[in-house]
Amino acid sequence: MSNRDSAPSGTTRRRGASTDVEPRPNESHARKIGPGFLVKLVLVALVDALGVYGVFAASAVGHWGIVAFLVVALVVVNVVYFSRRMIPAKYLVPGLLFLLVYQLFVMLYTGYVSFTNYGDGHNSTKEDAIEAILLQNDRRVEDSPSLPLVVVRDGDALGFAVIEEDGDVAVGTAEQPLEVVDDAVVEDDTIVEVPGYDVLSFAQVVEVQREITDLRVPLSDDPNEGALRTQNGSVGFISRSFYVYDEAADTMTNTDTGAVYRPNDEGNFVNDEGQELTPGWRVAVGLDNYSAMFTDSRISGSFFQVVAWTFAFAGLSVLTTFGVGLFFAIVFNDPRIRGRKVYRSLLILPYAFPGFLAALVWRGMLNERFGFINEVLLGGASVPWLSDEWLARFSVLFVNTWLGFPYMFLICTGALQSIPGDVIESARMDGAGPLRIFRSMTLPLLLVSTAPLLISTFAFNFNNFTLIYMLTGGGPNFPDAPIPVGATDILISMVYSIAFEGGSRDYGLASAMSIMIFIVVGFISYLGFRRTRTLEEI
Amino acid sequence: MASQAYDQPKLRGKRWWREVGWRHIVGIVAIAYCILPLLYVLSASLNPGGSLTGSNQLFRTVAAGNYTELADTNFGQWALNSLVIATVTALGTVLMGAAAAYAFSRFRFTGRRITLTGLLLVQMFPQVLTFVAIFLLLLSLGEVFPILGLNSRLALIAVYLGGALGVNTFLMYGFFNTVPKELDEAAKIDGASHAQIFFTIILRLVAPILAVVGLLSFITAYGEFVIARVVLQSQDNFTLAVGLYQWASDERNAPWGLFAAAAVLAAIPIIALFLFLQRFIVSGLTSGAVKG
């Protein structure tokens, strides 16, 4: 239909195009300056501008990986779009760039993080950790003068402007060490104006009181020198850490006790008694995260339970949705039923209802004390649908059946229609009963065409985060697990707990578990893929 | 259907019950099972100030109070966010997917096979598994391009577009192959550039698959939860999925009536799209699409 509709317009277009083209053959269109070229020029110019900005911004904060990627990407984009060849690349580059960053890179990055101890307490580089230790363990230098100061703001960043002992005005923020400025306005020993910053009024200072008392403006790039602090927003003092970092020996020394802390393999400074300084930094820990899943008794107990439930959930989900869907498909496959269309449209409704909303609605209906199921359907019973271990598992499966059976109903209805009627008829002639026909004829034939879909359903439910998280939140939680993991948690929701919900975030362990899921899901997809391929060959 | 009536004598009485009638009983039970939650949420949405308990008597009161109250909440902002994010994602997905499918279908270049196989491989590993790495990536990206960092709607769209190629290219590629090559060749002889061929000829001929892919990716982005929850952090930026989760998950103080009204409104565009898409989905299901 669409072919016929658009063919004429294609023809007119061609005729129109042929008139404004020069008759020279083999001329490259990339060189012709027309509206298309201008659009391209503007778009590439925009991309270039953004990219160049990014290169500067990224080098300013020292993200060399981003700089390298941007440079390569810019070169590729410009070469591809201004060359006369590489036409396919012109169509592939935008999609591939996104794919590269947001799918391929994050996959590899997941792998990389899984070999580190990235997480709370090990968030950044060693330099950052040293700086943080020095800053967090500071106190007022005993003989330091009280300096008049005002709080200033540069965009979102708070800072201090201070009148130093020699009368100079210096300004700085948490990120930007103190620096003398020349053209600040001082009236009656108070700084009134600092170029490039807004001076906060008293009322404004009160608003951000806590941030101000926590703010430390480094005196210079060397964190050992100390920082400017204030208690009240008007008088500043110099505070210095009671730890000293010795760069040559790579040790931290506590100047009060004299204890020496040395870096260890796990990214912490440790003294001889085994006391650690926090924060630490990111280091590679090899296979520690992987082995922790299996051997660390605090994790492995719940891990194995979660693995078992993940497989059970995904498998049972396929069974229940397929079973219910197939049952209804067979029931409504009889052409003698009046109103089949109405039945079918109504049965598809759960499939059309957004999954996240369905899970939330069911969560309300299954509520133990106020839910519709207990209050109305069960006459005021208090069945702990979501808070008992096994009932919660049952509820998850039950709701997933509600969500998923229409899909199976649709494909089974389709598949049933494609089973040749004469085959079934001849079986009936041979004296097979309906059950026998179903078991030996219908079901096997049906499974041939639906097997790839069953496999992909299994893979989908293996990672059905939304349902689990919205319905039960993974609960009821195991009482003795150090991470908030519960009876209905599947692997992917356990990954989420470990990465974002526990008392301490452990990105390394979470990534290692993601990799485990990758392997399982990849294997399942491979099976499904092979299956489809072989089916196509038949 | 009509011919059936001539072929078979009309069934009556016991035989009708045994062969057809019971199917209606099953049908009624099935429908009750399917639509009870939907009726429940509709009724709760019409029960002003309703808590979880107050919503249990279906359609006891019918008033639009919850719907008008939604105006004072973040619901409008969330709905707008969801619509914008899903729409831009759908458009981007269609454009990028179509461009890639065009390249694979019409050009023979070195590295074609390996790119196709690579896409197939990448497709096996769902992007959602990488949400930890996505979070960490955006954490760093935000220091360079704040607009592509955490808590940015644009960043979320970019992440969704990252998954666009892997999933859809093959669907589109197959369809592009069904458009006869002779059309492009004729246009080329007439002097059309490859861009003219792509934008003015091919895209029109493959419009049906573009619509299906676009609508499916709209629905997927609209309902996506985990990546949105990881990326978006302030109330103003939430999508419906993240925002409504927050409303409904609070056991004691959940604004249940408000949630129900929001759920009804949020579901309507998706249900409408589904009913519209139904016949495409049924045929598309066999090519491997899964509810997401």
Side-chain angles (χ1 to χ4, degrees):
Chain A
M1 183 189 91
S2 57
N3 267 316
R4 223 178 301 148
D5 285 350
S6 19
S9 64
T11 332
T12 48
R13 184 72 210 179
R14 255 183 283 152
R15 218 176 289 137
S18 63
T19 53
D20 58 22
V21 139
E22 288 160 48
R24 262 192 312 169
N26 292 332
E27 198 215 10
S28 164
H29 294 278
R31 288 300 168 91
K32 208 178 57 177
I33 298 181
F37 179 81
L38 287 179
V39 169
K40 182 167 88 177
L41 198 65
V42 170
L43 285 178
V44 176
L46 268 176
V47 170
D48 284 351
L50 264 177
V52 171
Y53 163 80
V55 169
F56 283 115
S59 27
V61 288
H63 281 305
W64 301 113
I66 297 180
V67 173
F69 173 80
L70 283 174
V71 169
V72 173
L74 280 178
V75 170
V76 167
V77 165
N78 283 284
V79 167
V80 162
Y81 285 101
F82 289 114
S83 103
R84 316 167 93 179
R85 294 167 189 193
M86 298 200 262
I87 292 171
K90 291 182 168 76
Y91 289 89
L92 283 173
V93 160
L96 284 184
L97 276 182
F98 276 93
L99 181 90
L100 216 60
V101 177
Y102 292 104
Q103 191 151 8
L104 218 55
F105 173 76
V106 289
M107 273 166 60
L108 297 176
Y109 197 49
T110 305
Y112 163 73
V113 173
S114 75
F115 294 110
T116 70
N117 60 356
Y118 200 168
D120 270 355
H122 297 272
N123 259 327
S124 196
T125 58
K126 190 171 174 188
E127 291 80 61
D128 289 347
I130 292 168
E131 200 168 312
I133 292 172
L134 293 182
L135 277 177
Q136 283 167 18
N137 297 291
D138 62 349
R139 61 168 168 239
R140 182 166 186 167
V141 176
E142 268 168 32
D143 51 353
S144 86
S146 297
L147 304 168
L149 119 175
V150 290
V151 182
V152 295
R153 188 196 290 276
D154 174 19
D156 284 336
L158 287 173
F160 296 139
V162 65
I163 305 176
E164 292 180 335
E165 284 178 296
D166 51 11
D168 282 342
V169 175
V171 66
T173 64
E175 307 287 325
Q176 180 73 45
L178 277 185
E179 217 171 86
V180 175
V181 287
D182 294 330
D183 32 9
V185 181
V186 183
E187 283 172 12
D188 304 333
D189 286 345
T190 313
I191 301 167
V192 195
E193 224 176 90
V194 184
Y197 292 88
D198 301 323
V199 177
L200 296 198
S201 68
F202 179 72
Q204 285 171 310
V205 168
V206 174
E207 250 175 58
V208 285
Q209 185 75 42
R210 280 207 42 195
E211 286 169 58
I212 289 171
T213 48
D214 286 342
L215 181 62
R216 296 166 171 92
V217 175
L219 294 184
S220 75
D221 284 331
D222 179 5
N224 279 334
E225 269 196 38
L228 185 69
R229 300 192 61 181
T230 182
Q231 289 300 334
N232 51 18
S234 62
V235 177
F237 56 86
I238 289 168
S239 75
R240 200 168 289 156
S241 173
F242 47 88
Y243 284 97
V244 171
Y245 177 62
D246 181 348
E247 211 172 333
D250 195 18
T251 54
M252 270 299 178
T253 312
N254 186 330
T255 48
D256 289 352
T257 62
V260 177
Y261 294 77
R262 290 185 181 76
N264 68 0
D265 288 344
E266 272 122 50
N268 282 102
F269 282 109
V270 192
N271 69 2
D272 295 337
E273 279 98 64
Q275 281 174 312
E276 284 182 353
L277 294 180
T278 54
W281 58 93
R282 267 189 326 236
V283 289
V285 293
L287 290 171
D288 281 9
N289 287 319
Y290 292 91
S291 59
M293 275 182 259
F294 299 103
T295 54
D296 185 334
S297 57
R298 292 167 307 156
I299 303 168
S300 63
S302 28
F303 175 71
F304 285 122
Q305 264 176 299
V306 169
V307 170
W309 167 242
T310 309
F311 278 96
F313 168 69
L316 288 172
S317 289
V318 175
L319 276 184
T320 54
T321 53
F322 184 70
V324 175
L326 177 61
F327 173 71
F328 286 140
I330 289 175
V331 168
F332 294 111
N333 199 36
D334 193 319
R336 289 168 298 181
I337 307 171
R338 280 161 177 265
R340 267 209 304 173
K341 272 201 165 157
V342 179
Y343 281 128
R344 280 192 182 159
S345 331
L346 287 174
L347 285 182
I348 297 174
L349 274 179
Y351 186 37
F353 198 60
F356 72 94
L357 289 174
L360 291 175
V361 170
W362 276 104
R363 181 194 183 116
M365 290 177 69
L366 290 168
N367 185 288
E368 182 177 346
R369 286 174 53 205
F370 317 112
F372 185 81
I373 305 280
N374 278 346
E375 283 285 291
V376 179
L377 292 188
L378 301 178
S382 60
V383 183
W385 293 109
L386 300 177
S387 47
D388 173 82
E389 190 177 324
W390 287 102
L391 278 173
R393 287 179 179 141
F394 170 80
S395 303
V396 166
L397 280 171
F398 179 79
V399 173
N400 204 27
T401 307
W402 185 84
L403 271 167
F405 89 83
Y407 169 77
M408 294 297 184
F409 171 71
L410 283 174
I411 53 176
C412 288
T413 303
L416 279 178
Q417 250 122 49
S418 66
I419 293 178
D422 47 356
V423 178
I424 303 291
E425 195 58 39
S426 65
R428 192 172 294 143
M429 298 291 245
D430 287 350
L435 264 181
R436 175 79 199 191
I437 292 179
F438 174 76
R439 223 184 52 221
S440 317
M441 312 274 318
T442 319
L443 192 59
L445 283 172
L446 211 63
L447 281 177
V448 169
S449 57
T450 53
L453 299 174
L454 296 186
I455 292 175
S456 65
T457 305
F458 182 91
F460 172 77
N461 280 307
F462 201 84
N463 290 312
N464 197 344
F465 178 88
T466 310
L467 175 75
I468 302 289
Y469 190 75
M470 291 206 163
L471 192 61
T472 62
N477 280 359
F478 297 132
D480 46 351
I483 28 180
V485 171
T488 54
D489 257 316
I490 54 176
L491 279 168
I492 187 139
S493 63
M494 186 174 178
V495 169
Y496 186 88
S497 299
I498 293 173
F500 299 115
E501 291 202 320
S504 73
R505 300 167 155 211
D506 192 338
Y507 303 132
L509 180 60
S511 297
M513 286 184 58
S514 291
I515 296 289
M516 304 292 287
I517 309 179
F518 264 133
I519 293 169
V520 176
V521 172
F523 181 68
I524 295 166
S525 315
Y526 167 74
L527 286 184
F529 175 58
R530 230 180 42 170
R531 184 90 206 205
T532 351
R533 276 270 290 256
T534 47
L535 281 175
E536 267 166 21
E537 277 158 18
I538 294 168
Chain B
M1 288 286 279
S3 65
Q4 218 85 47
Y6 294 106
D7 294 347
Q8 291 178 343
K10 218 164 172 124
L11 295 174
R12 284 184 195 289
K14 261 191 180 168
R15 176 124 189 267
W16 181 84
W17 268 111
R18 208 176 58 226
E19 293 198 6
V20 180
W22 66 273
R23 294 173 198 263
H24 285 289
I25 307 281
V26 173
I28 288 163
V29 173
I31 287 174
Y33 172 57
C34 282
I35 67 171
L36 184 69
L38 304 181
L39 284 182
Y40 168 78
V41 73
L42 186 65
S43 136
S45 78
L46 294 168
N47 180 11
S51 62
L52 214 43
T53 344
S55 310
N56 282 339
Q57 276 176 295
L58 294 185
F59 299 105
R60 188 188 48 179
T61 49
V62 175
N66 288 322
Y67 290 90
T68 50
E69 258 184 68
L70 277 182
D72 305 328
T73 65
N74 283 322
F75 175 77
Q77 180 68 47
W78 296 342
L80 187 70
N81 291 342
S82 277
L83 289 177
V84 169
I85 289 171
T87 309
V88 177
T89 305
L91 288 178
T93 303
V94 166
L95 268 180
M96 288 202 267
Y102 176 63
F104 286 126
S105 159
R106 291 309 202 250
F107 300 102
R108 294 291 175 271
F109 50 95
T110 37
R112 177 175 171 276
R113 267 194 80 87
I114 209 157
T115 326
L116 264 173
T117 322
L119 277 179
L120 202 63
L121 265 174
V122 167
Q123 195 187 5
M124 287 186 183
F125 299 102
Q127 193 189 22
V128 65
L129 282 178
T130 59
F131 60 74
V132 179
I134 288 177
F135 173 81
L136 299 176
L137 169 69
L138 297 190
L139 201 66
S140 313
L141 264 184
E143 294 173 30
V144 180
F145 299 103
I147 199 162
L148 289 181
L150 286 176
N151 199 21
S152 147
R153 286 160 284 188
L154 194 64
L156 185 63
I157 293 174
V159 173
Y160 288 159
L161 288 184
L165 221 49
V167 185
N168 296 307
T169 312
F170 287 92
L171 204 60
M172 294 189 161
Y173 172 65
F175 203 92
F176 273 65
N177 283 340
T178 64
V179 176
K181 268 197 156 179
E182 287 75 14
L183 279 177
D184 326 12
E185 276 156 18
K188 213 183 278 171
I189 290 169
D190 285 353
S193 68
H194 60 86
Q196 278 172 325
I197 295 174
F198 176 64
F199 283 108
T200 61
I201 300 175
I202 301 284
L203 279 193
R204 289 185 199 188
L205 296 181
V206 296
I209 194 75
L210 299 188
V212 171
V213 167
L215 291 173
L216 285 179
S217 90
F218 180 92
I219 290 174
T220 312
Y222 192 85
E224 202 285 326
F225 175 67
V226 57
I227 297 178
R229 183 164 165 84
V230 168
V231 172
L232 305 173
Q233 297 172 332
S234 71
Q235 294 270 344
D236 282 349
N237 289 341
F238 281 178
T239 59
L240 282 171
V242 182
L244 292 188
Y245 168 76
Q246 196 194 20
W247 275 3
S249 61
D250 182 351
E251 293 281 291
R252 259 148 288 164
N253 310 313
W256 192 249
L258 276 183
F259 163 77
V264 170
L265 290 183
I268 284 174
I270 299 302
I271 291 186
L273 273 183
F274 248 94
L275 296 182
F276 169 66
L277 268 181
Q278 199 177 317
R279 57 207 171 100
F280 300 113
I281 291 175
V282 173
S283 61
L285 285 178
T286 34
S287 52
V290 187
K291 183 181 170 87

